[in-house]
Amino acid sequence: MNTTSPEATPAAAPGRIVLLTTSHRVAPGLLSWPAWQALHSADSVLCADGAHPQLPYLREAGIRVAEAAPTAEELVDICAGGRTVVVVATGEGEPALTDGLARLAGSGRVSMPELELLPASYDLPGARLLDLVQVMDRIRAECPWSSQQTHKGLAKYGIEEAYELVEAIEEGDRDELREELGDVLLQVVFHARIAEEDPDAPFSIDDVAGTIVAKLIHRHPHVFGDETATTPEEVKEHWLRTKATEKRRESVTDGIPLGQPGLALAAKLASRVRTAGLDVPLPQTEGIGYDLLALAVRAEAEGVDPEAALRAAGRAYRDAVRAAEGLEG
């Protein structure tokens, strides 16, 4: 009589659950090779969302996907006998299912299948910008205030946000810097969204990005071309040379916005004159404005931003005023 214990039958094997996650910021169907392998080798592929963007591409690849949302207990039963089940996760990531599986595992009363989280697609750097574009598109369409805005109407906000960004940089507040960069980015995306509606010359955020990408590549021949540059000065020479070719300016002053703050305007003019190697004496006229012009030119020659220097002095003066008032800085 054979008294040896029989080997465990395949039916006793707990099986395997593969939770397949995808990013909505990556085009449907662009899955990793391990994801395709898991899908093709699975005994069952389930998805709770019949409108999941991946489903048409999976079915086109010959993968049978059942629209089902089993509970944790039901899924464990499906895996019984060593079966592998791939669950194509919805955008929320199936928290109810994973929580249920965690409770079952914690109970110690159930032989649990092997559980694997398999990212099938990954966000590339900059992927969250797609979310920003989508959010802005909806706000433009549905918000009573945003839907009425124009380039001119938003112009003042661009100036305000730029100054708030500068302040965050000078204060050294990292959290504030991140927030203000976002506010400046919002202005770009907002204006680009408005520009899409122009009846005569529309353009989109992709056109904006494409323009700056082309410009950066053209102005960095030492990175993307055959030129060489080993110092910041050589890089600046490349930049100025390619910029001059692009703009075909008649004067070194062309392109300098005269509406910018006075000290910044004076420093920019001085920088253009110095870079061009011109010898242009300052106007020999008395007055505070001309004294400030001379100080701004001197600051630029010494590598000092006169606007930043004056703001720093202004903050010191503000602190002195508050101290005189008995207040904290």
Side-chain angles (χ1 to χ4, degrees):
M1 180 175 180
N2 187 357
T3 58
T4 58
S5 299
E7 295 182 358
T9 64
R16 176 168 168 251
I17 300 171
V18 179
L19 187 62
L20 197 72
T21 61
T22 59
S23 170
H24 68 277
R25 304 179 189 94
V26 178
L30 297 179
L31 306 181
S32 65
W33 178 242
W36 283 116
Q37 287 181 310
L39 287 163
H40 279 292
S41 63
D43 295 294
S44 299
V45 178
L46 310 178
C47 182
D49 181 8
H52 196 293
Q54 296 289 350
L55 296 192
Y57 299 91
L58 300 186
R59 288 167 177 152
E60 185 178 349
I63 296 170
R64 298 180 62 184
V65 183
E67 184 178 341
T71 64
E73 293 83 355
E74 292 170 340
L75 188 57
V76 170
D77 290 340
I78 295 172
C79 291
R83 292 169 55 84
T84 294
V85 178
V86 172
V87 177
V88 180
T90 60
E92 293 76 22
E94 307 296 343
L97 178 60
T98 53
D99 289 347
L101 290 170
R103 285 195 297 272
L104 282 179
S107 70
R109 298 191 298 270
V110 178
S111 179
M112 292 296 294
E114 176 187 350
L115 180 60
E116 178 184 355
L117 177 62
L118 180 58
S121 58
Y122 302 83
D123 286 348
L124 298 174
R128 294 307 300 272
L129 294 175
L130 299 176
D131 291 347
L132 175 57
V133 172
Q134 292 175 351
V135 168
M136 186 69 252
D137 188 62
R138 183 171 178 180
I139 289 174
R140 178 66 174 175
E142 300 180 19
C143 173
W145 183 85
S146 299
S147 62
Q148 300 300 313
Q149 297 310 301
T150 64
H151 293 303
K152 289 184 179 179
L154 291 177
K156 62 180 180 180
Y157 300 111
I159 296 172
E160 290 174 4
E161 299 298 354
Y163 276 122
E164 290 177 5
L165 172 60
V166 171
E167 182 175 358
I169 293 172
E170 293 179 347
E171 294 288 344
D173 188 324
R174 301 293 296 175
D175 292 335
E176 193 72 14
L177 175 59
R178 182 176 63 244
E179 181 176 346
E180 296 304 336
L181 284 169
D183 290 343
V184 172
L185 178 59
L186 170 60
Q187 296 302 308
V188 175
V189 175
F190 203 162
H191 279 282
R193 179 60 183 81
I194 293 172
E196 290 185 36
E197 302 169 8
D198 189 280
D200 301 317
F203 59 82
S204 68
I205 188 65
D206 288 317
D207 298 315
V208 173
T211 298
I212 189 60
V213 166
K215 181 185 292 185
L216 287 172
I217 292 175
H218 185 242
R219 293 187 183 178
H220 290 78
H222 54 290
V223 176
F224 301 99
D226 298 330
E227 301 284 350
T228 58
T230 57
T231 65
E233 291 75 22
E234 290 176 345
V235 172
K236 189 173 183 179
E237 288 179 11
H238 286 312
W239 181 275
L240 293 174
R241 184 168 61 251
T242 55
K243 187 175 181 180
T245 302
E246 293 169 1
K247 301 297 183 180
R248 303 184 186 280
R249 289 169 173 159
E250 296 180 355
S251 169
V252 296
T253 65
D254 290 348
I256 298 178
L258 300 179
Q260 64 182 300
L263 289 177
L265 171 61
K268 189 65 176 180
L269 288 167
S271 174
R272 288 280 186 90
V273 168
R274 180 174 54 79
T275 301
L278 299 175
D279 184 11
V280 183
L282 294 176
Q284 299 300 310
T285 306
E286 294 184 359
I288 293 177
Y290 293 96
D291 293 341
L292 291 173
L293 172 63
L295 285 173
V297 171
R298 172 187 156 196
E300 195 283 328
E302 296 177 1
V304 175
D305 180 350
E307 281 284 343
L310 183 56
R311 280 195 300 272
R315 283 195 293 271
Y317 186 39
R318 176 204 59 188
D319 293 344
V321 171
R322 292 179 63 84
E325 296 172 328
L327 302 173
E328 295 182 1

